[in-house]
């Protein structure tokens, strides 16, 4: 497999770090928007994770000939009508995730149903000789307290995946990456890359 240069269309360095871990062992050179000197204000006005991921990837693809991947991900809490959903990053914008997580715990207090799921949609643009692609991964779990975190970021401290005793915030990165929404979407992406490289 020849080396591929992939630009991760995000300003979130935690996401860039996760992708580097997920793609470890593959002949990829991974760079961020900051590395590429690209600074663009993108209006994520889609109505789904897939739409927002594609808006980001296709916008950045206009500024580079390199492969671009962008994801949109978020937490959907079932008892709260899938809130915050595609607004996960913009919920209580300007507040810390510690504050956001506390508010979510409070909002969910009256409900017995604590089930939730994480979604990640990954869009790929500028892939050699291929149409643009979108892959989606989902991880089911429950919202739990107390808020605890040694690893992870964002809503990880309050999300416990089904079948596990730890929250994402307590899991080692390698373990989380195997089962997470981003890990599942990335697996589909890697299968696509392997197939196209071997055709």
């Amino acid at each position: 497999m020849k080396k591929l240069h992939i630009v991760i269309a995000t300003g979130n360095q935690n996401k860039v770090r996760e992708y580097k871990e997920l793609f470890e062992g593959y002949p990829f050179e991974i760079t961020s928007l900051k590395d590429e000197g690209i600074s663009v204000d993108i209006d994520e006005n889609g109505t789904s994770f897939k739409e927002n991921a594609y808006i980001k990837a296709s916008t950045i693809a206009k500024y580079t000939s390199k492969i671009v991947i962008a994801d949109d991900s978020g937490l959907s809490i079932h008892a709260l009508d899938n809130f915050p959903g595609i607004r996960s990053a913009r919920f209580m914008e300007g507040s810390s995730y510690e504050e956001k997580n506390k508010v979510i715990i409070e909002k969910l207090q009256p409900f017995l149903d604590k089930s939730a799921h994480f979604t990640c949609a990954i869009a790929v643009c500028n892939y050699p000789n291929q149409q643009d692609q979108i892959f989606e991964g989902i991880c089911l779990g429950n919202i739990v307290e107390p808020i605890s975190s040694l690893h992870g970021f964002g809503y990880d401290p309050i999300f416990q995946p089904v079948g596990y005793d730890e929250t994402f915030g307590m899991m080692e990165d390698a373990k989380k990456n195997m089962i997470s929404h981003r890990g599942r979407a990335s697996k589909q992406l890697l299968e696509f890359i392997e197939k196209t490289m071997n055709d």
Side-chain angles (χ1 to χ4, degrees):
M1 189 185 292
K2 66 181 180 181
K3 191 167 189 176
L4 299 177
H5 190 146
I6 298 175
V7 180
I8 310 296
T10 183
N12 185 330
Q13 292 307 305
N14 284 312
K15 275 192 183 181
V16 175
R17 175 181 54 79
E18 278 202 355
Y19 275 111
K20 285 182 176 180
E21 290 169 354
L22 286 162
F23 296 159
E24 193 173 354
Y26 286 84
F28 301 160
E29 181 181 350
I30 306 293
T31 54
S32 65
L33 293 181
K34 185 178 179 182
D35 296 330
E36 296 294 321
I38 298 173
S39 179
V40 186
D41 189 20
I42 301 173
D43 184 15
E44 296 175 40
N45 56 7
T47 58
S48 68
F49 293 109
K50 285 184 175 181
E51 283 184 18
N52 281 337
Y54 186 70
I55 288 168
K56 285 187 271 190
S58 59
T59 300
I60 298 304
K62 296 172 185 174
Y63 294 84
T64 179
S65 59
K66 296 165 185 170
I67 299 167
V68 176
I69 71 172
D71 82 31
D72 194 46
S73 55
L75 176 67
S76 300
I77 301 167
H78 304 161
L80 302 179
D81 295 323
N82 289 327
F83 166 88
I86 61 170
R87 298 196 57 81
S88 291
R90 286 163 283 178
F91 167 57
M92 289 177 60
E93 205 159 9
S95 300
S96 69
Y97 272 95
E98 184 178 4
E99 293 170 310
K100 293 182 185 187
N101 287 335
K102 284 179 180 174
V103 168
I104 283 175
I105 293 287
E106 288 168 10
K107 281 180 175 290
L108 204 49
Q109 207 81 49
F111 299 94
L112 290 176
D113 180 11
K114 310 293 184 184
S115 63
H117 67 274
F118 265 122
T119 304
C120 175
I122 300 177
V124 184
C125 294
N126 287 352
Y127 193 85
N129 307 315
Q130 297 289 328
Q131 292 183 327
D132 297 341
Q133 304 285 328
I134 305 175
F135 308 95
E136 189 171 70
I138 291 173
C139 183
L140 300 175
N142 292 284
I143 303 302
V144 298
E145 55 178 326
I147 295 170
S148 56
S149 185
L150 292 174
H151 307 277
F153 58 95
Y155 298 109
D156 287 355
I158 60 170
F159 183 83
Q160 182 176 311
V162 169
Y164 293 84
D165 296 327
E166 304 165 288
T167 64
F168 272 170
M170 293 300 291
M171 281 185 183
E172 294 286 346
D173 291 343
K175 186 176 179 180
K176 175 192 167 187
N177 289 339
M178 284 179 62
I179 62 169
S180 74
H181 48 305
R182 187 167 293 111
R184 290 174 179 179
S186 295
K187 185 178 180 214
Q188 296 171 48
L189 167 62
L190 289 169
E191 287 170 352
F192 162 75
I193 291 174
E194 287 174 346
K195 181 179 183 302
T196 56
M197 296 299 286
N198 292 325
D199 282 348

